[in-house]
Amino acid sequence: MGMIERIEEISESAQEAVASADDLSSLEAVRVQFLGRKAELTGILRGIAELEADQRGKVGGLANEVRQQTEELISSRSAELEAAELELSLVADSIDVTLPGSPAAPVGHLHPVTRTRRMIEDVMVGLGYRVVEGPEVELDYYNFTALNHPPDHPARMLQDTFYIEPSPATTGGDRGPRDVLLRTHTSPMQVRAMEASPPPLFIIVPGKTYRRDSDATHSPMFHQVEGLAVGEGVTLADLKGTLLAMLREIFGPDREIRMRPHFFPFTEPSVEFDVSCFRCGGSGSLDGGDRCGLCKAIGWIELGGAGMVDPNVFSFVSDAGYDPDLVSGFAFGFGIERIAMLRHGIGDLRLMFDNDLRMLEQFS
Ligand code: DAH
């Protein structure tokens, strides 16, 4: 076979090989095969000088033409393949930003105590009360003394109250080791709020409180809401109406309340208040005749303490305009966890603070 025919054959098979290369790496292999240093055509071109003089022109011309043609074919095929590969990767990598995340990120929700606190706040703000908060690290003066607790009151005992030993640097050295404590109730804010603003005063005080107590219904840290209303002519009937309005919002429009005589140092008279049971409707027994477990068949659920502000408490804030001859007031206080536990049927207070998602996710 003559040189010319061989070069034509090479040209044909190069064309076929280029056309059938279906990705960039096989095209590169084709380039090496036909145009690389060891390729047959490269060898022919290198050997032109040794050919007979009359062959050189023809063979050299054709070989160069085929080489150039093949280069062009390869580069246009390469452009085609590159475009196709880009197209493919664009399709494969495309992101539809309108699709939900995968997996959809779970949205958190508020803790049952927070939800209950906000619900109480909403009801009371609707009745015209202001929400205020006070310090959790409190002075004995506000927690006990100004709330008319005598120096030897049992709540002041170490068994009941967490005391903080203040450093002389923060107190100027003028406070004894039992003058600073973790507040045992939200009531100290009654006095602080009265010091800060003259009557009339309508506030609620939600917040954390602390006692040295721990069992299924007591936790060393828990939450209370305090209420205080002071103005001219405020009566125990106003207290009852306010509690009734609040508890009907929380437990349903058919609820009733009752107040039982009690004692608190800072109210006179003092009461404990109960709400009629929202499970049995107050009858103590369920539809099928079974005894109601929620109220223990009593028909009433105990919620908190309340009463008329003791004139002795007003005497601590007389400078701020609280004269027991001119104004009167009522106060109440109750636990937030207890409300949440009742509403959701939670049996153990400690579950509230274990942060076990299996428990918390039930109340989203
Ligand atoms: N502070 C009381 C407690 O923690 C509850 C309480 C009783 C609050 C009577 C009041 C009140 O405002 O008037 O046990």
Side-chain angles (χ1 to χ4, degrees):
M1 193 197 294
M3 253 334 180
I4 298 293
E5 289 79 23
R6 181 60 198 145
I7 295 172
E8 279 165 353
E9 258 181 23
I10 294 173
S11 171
E12 257 169 53
S13 46
Q15 284 173 36
E16 277 166 27
V18 170
S20 59
D22 51 13
D23 60 38
L24 287 169
S25 65
S26 43
L27 186 63
E28 173 60 12
V30 170
R31 194 193 62 76
V32 171
Q33 188 192 339
F34 289 94
L35 304 174
R37 273 189 302 119
K38 294 182 189 152
E40 193 180 352
L41 189 62
T42 311
I44 292 171
L45 281 163
R46 213 181 278 131
I48 297 281
E50 283 132 48
L51 292 177
E52 300 292 324
D54 66 333
Q55 290 277 303
R56 267 181 229 162
K58 270 203 260 162
V59 171
L62 183 62
N64 265 318
E65 199 184 305
V66 167
R67 181 179 177 88
Q68 205 180 327
Q69 232 176 39
T70 308
E71 274 170 0
E72 278 163 16
L73 280 175
I74 288 176
S75 89
S76 73
R77 181 71 184 141
S78 160
E80 249 172 59
L81 289 174
E82 261 175 48
E85 281 184 18
L86 179 65
E87 183 63 24
L88 262 181
S89 76
L90 284 178
V91 169
D93 295 350
S94 71
I95 294 172
D96 181 347
V97 294
T98 66
L99 288 174
S102 166
V107 204
H109 61 80
L110 295 174
H111 191 279
V113 169
T114 305
R115 286 158 47 102
T116 305
R117 171 173 61 74
R118 289 196 180 180
M119 178 185 183
I120 297 162
E121 288 173 5
D122 284 351
V123 176
M124 295 309 292
V125 166
L127 292 178
Y129 284 67
R130 211 153 39 89
V131 180
V132 297
E133 289 179 295
E136 291 168 31
V137 178
E138 186 51 286
L139 293 172
D140 172 281
Y141 175 79
Y142 291 106
N143 198 80
F144 293 127
T145 306
L147 290 171
N148 201 33
H149 287 69
D152 56 354
H153 191 279
R156 293 181 123 134
M157 296 292 127
L158 286 169
Q159 305 88 279
D160 297 325
T161 301
F162 290 108
Y163 286 93
I164 289 174
E165 208 170 314
S167 82
T170 55
T171 64
D174 60 353
R175 295 214 170 96
R178 284 179 58 176
D179 280 355
V180 183
L181 44 78
L182 294 182
R183 66 178 177 190
T184 60
H185 50 179
T186 42
S187 307
M189 200 47 199
Q190 290 186 26
V191 181
R192 287 183 176 273
M194 288 191 281
E195 278 179 353
S197 23
L201 184 67
F202 295 87
I203 55 160
I204 59 157
V205 189
K208 290 188 172 68
T209 51
Y210 302 85
R211 283 183 207 175
R212 301 185 59 161
D213 237 350
S214 190
D215 59 38
T217 51
H218 298 89
S219 149
M221 185 284 299
F222 59 108
H223 297 77
Q224 285 190 337
V225 182
E226 192 80 11
L228 176 68
V230 186
E232 280 176 37
V234 174
T235 68
L236 198 69
D238 297 322
L239 169 63
K240 189 167 184 183
T242 303
L243 291 176
L244 184 62
M246 176 179 75
L247 295 174
R248 283 186 173 171
E249 287 287 339
I250 298 174
F251 291 111
D254 300 331
R255 300 291 79 80
E256 295 298 338
I257 62 163
R258 73 174 183 185
M259 304 197 299
R260 291 173 284 105
H262 200 74
F263 173 80
F264 295 101
F266 43 98
T267 41
E268 181 61 35
S270 299
V271 300
E272 277 191 327
F273 59 93
D274 303 341
V275 66
S276 61
C277 181
F278 55 90
R279 179 147 318 149
C280 64
S283 67
S285 55
L286 300 174
D287 274 352
D290 282 352
R291 156 184 196 282
C292 178
L294 190 67
C295 63
K296 304 197 175 61
I298 296 167
W300 295 99
I301 297 171
E302 190 180 318
L303 285 185
M308 298 306 290
V309 178
D310 193 301
N312 287 342
V313 174
F314 284 136
S315 74
F316 285 93
V317 287
S318 52
D319 287 354
Y322 290 84
D323 177 348
D325 291 333
L326 298 177
V327 294
S328 55
F330 64 73
F332 60 85
F334 58 91
I336 300 182
E337 284 84 1
R338 179 155 167 77
I339 303 276
M341 287 168 74
L342 286 166
R343 288 184 63 225
H344 299 303
I346 301 167
D348 189 324
L349 173 60
R350 292 166 294 197
L351 288 171
M352 292 283 193
F353 308 118
D354 285 346
N355 281 341
D356 186 332
L357 289 178
R358 290 170 303 178
M359 135 85 186
L360 295 174
E361 279 173 351
Q362 296 176 46
F363 307 105
S364 56

